Amino acid sequence: MNITRVLAIAKKEFLHIRRDPRSLGMAIVIPLLLILLFGSSLSLDVDNVPLVIWDQSHSPQSREYIHSFTASPYFGLKGYIASYQEAEQAIDTREALLVLVIAPDFARNLESGQSTTAQLIVDGSDANTATIAISYAQTITASHTNKLLLTANRQYNGKTPSVLLEAQPRVWFNQDMSAKNYIVPGLIAVIMMVIAALLTSLTVAREWETGTMEQLITTPVKTHELILGKLIPYFVIGLLDVLLAVLMGEFIFHVPLRGSVALVFGLSTVFLAGSLSMGMLISIATRSQLLASQLAMILTFLPSFLLSGFMYAIANMPLAIQGLTYLIPARYFVAILKNIYLKGAGISILLADASILLIFAVVILLIANTKFKKRLV
């Protein structure tokens, strides 16, 4: 390998990027906009669930029970209703996700020591949100029930019973239970995968379309030198994107970085090498910028977004899909970034995922070089 020829190709690609503002904008501005957009809008937290109440009891007991809902940050009271018809209308118009119905005999049953019930009508069109909201309501109801039992016990026995079993949860790694703390690191991995593959998917295809590939073929530059030379500029831009993404996570989204910054950039270089090589392989195989960009988007965005564990737990997927996720490089980089950001993990814990990314980068680079040689024959 001749380093001089590699650097000459890299210099040529740098000049092209500098003279093409669209490529530079795609390389730097788009990742920042995507991180800002997704990081600000994407959240798995369920709070301020719209709630309407039909209180048929109109008693101090029912108002106390209602207060346990309205005092919670998870529910937002939208108003009171007086019939099931109004409850149906509130759900149909999406004014409310939940309707709490308190029976007329609510207070009477409590005063007589009998069990009583409250009805919760839930809009199940969004199953995930509905399930979480039901869990919130059940927790609030259980807490209110325990409070009533303690009060009744004090009235009848004159003393407060001791708690037989008390769970004291302790949250590790994400003490604030903030969704952004694990969404932003995963988002960095997904966006870098998409942008890196999309950028290099246009490089070789552009040479074929503009007719400059024939000129490069006549030079002493070998195929692997040409590939490496074209990868270097986008590799530098990719590292710049990682730096900007880390800074945005720190100062805009206030996501704590508990691990080593050097480890983030060190493993990012491995991931970028594989992502850029994948885009290069697509560019070599298609020889068309339009087809290459579309194929790069299909092969990177959807798999990285859906099958990397970024949004959905891989353990909950069907077994066949779980097997497919092992072929998605973003799966390993998402796990790496989450471990570094949230747990402060070291290289000993991340070595297995890092090794897989390295193998992926080497294999894709070799395949791209072999495919390019066949194209030139």
Side-chain angles (χ1 to χ4, degrees), residues 95-144:
E95 178 187 354
L97 180 71
L98 281 82
V99 178
L100 178 63
V101 181
I102 300 177
D105 57 355
F106 183 84
R108 183 171 62 252
N109 289 340
L110 289 178
E111 289 175 349
S112 61
Q114 300 177 15
S115 62
T116 188
T117 59
Q119 184 181 32
L120 192 68
I121 303 174
V122 186
D123 181 2
S125 57
D126 186 346
N128 183 63
T129 302
T131 301
I132 296 174
I134 291 173
S135 177
Y136 290 160
Q138 290 175 334
T139 301
I140 290 174
T141 300
S143 176
H144 187 71

Side-chain angles (χ1 to χ4, degrees), residues 223-254:
T223 55
H224 60 276
E225 295 171 346
L226 180 61
I227 291 174
L228 290 178
K230 283 185 168 294
L231 287 179
I232 289 175
Y234 298 104
F235 186 81
V236 174
I237 293 174
L239 288 179
L240 176 61
D241 286 337
V242 172
L243 173 61
L244 295 175
V246 170
L247 293 176
M248 289 182 67
E250 178 70 24
F251 296 106
I252 295 180
F253 299 109
H254 306 291

